[in-house]
Amino acid sequence: MVAMIRKTLAAAALVLMAVQPARAVDGVSAEFGYNDDVRMWRAGLQWKWERRWLRGGSWELGGYWDLSAGGWRNGEQTIYDLGLTPVFRLEGTAPGSPYFEAAIGFHVISDLQIDYDRSFSTRFQFGDHVGVGLRFGPRERYDVSLRLQHLSNGGIRKPNPGIDFLQLRLQYHLK
C-alpha cells in the first residue's frame, strides 16, 4: 500500500508540473467531514491558476489545483485517500466577499471495503464537490468553507455505492 501511495504521489506531482510551471505552494488546507457512520479528514496543498475570467466587475472566476491526502474512518477501519482536483471558484472582488466553488477531481483509495455493507469495486474514484466560503483576516489569508462532496467511480465498474461527505474546510493562503 505504501508503494501505491508513493507511485500515486509521484504521478500527481508529474501532472501538476505538466499543467503549469513549477512554483511555490500558494496555500495549505485541512478538511474534516462526516457521513452517517464514516468520518474523514484531509490535508492539502493548493496552487492558484494564473488565469482569471469575468474580471472588472464585482465577481471574478478563477481556480486552483488541490492536492490532498487523508483518510476515512469507520470504527476500527481506515481507508486512505489521495486526490488531485482542479477547483473553479467564483468570488466577490470586495474584501470579505463570499465565494462559491465547484470541482471534479481524481482520487485513489487504499482499500475497497469501508464497512460491512459498502464495498467499492475500484480504487480509482471521482471526487466532486460544491461549496460556499469566506476569506477573511489580514490580507484575506484565512479561508473557511462548507462543502458537499461525493466520491464514486462514475459507473466504471459495479458495485458503485459512492459516498457523500459534509465537510468543513479551513485554508491558509501563503501569498
Side-chain angles (χ1 to χ4, degrees), residues 55-143:
R55 294 190 104 160
S58 56
W59 292 89
E60 64 183 30
L61 179 64
Y64 59 92
W65 286 100
D66 187 36
L67 178 63
S68 64
W72 317 342
R73 186 155 180 83
N74 179 22
E76 297 299 315
Q77 184 175 9
T78 301
I79 288 182
Y80 296 97
D81 170 6
L82 180 66
L84 178 63
T85 305
V87 180
F88 288 90
R89 182 180 277 190
L90 178 66
E91 58 189 327
T93 55
S97 295
Y99 65 81
F100 305 92
E101 60 181 34
I104 298 176
F106 309 101
H107 291 255
V108 177
I109 57 176
S110 64
D111 199 351
L112 301 177
Q113 187 81 29
I114 187 64
D115 54 31
Y116 297 112
D117 60 348
R118 188 175 329 178
S119 293
F120 296 92
S121 58
T122 61
R123 292 188 192 283
F124 174 80
Q125 302 288 307
F126 292 101
D128 52 43
H129 78 260
V130 294
V132 60
L134 184 67
R135 286 184 69 169
F136 60 94
R139 296 178 24 192
E140 292 192 314
R141 289 209 167 175
Y142 302 99
D143 189 320

Side-chain angles (χ1 to χ4, degrees), residues 20-38:
Q20 70 180 33
R23 59 190 186 102
V25 170
D26 294 314
V28 295
S29 64
E31 300 172 20
F32 307 94
Y34 71 95
N35 170 295
D36 293 334
D37 53 355
V38 180

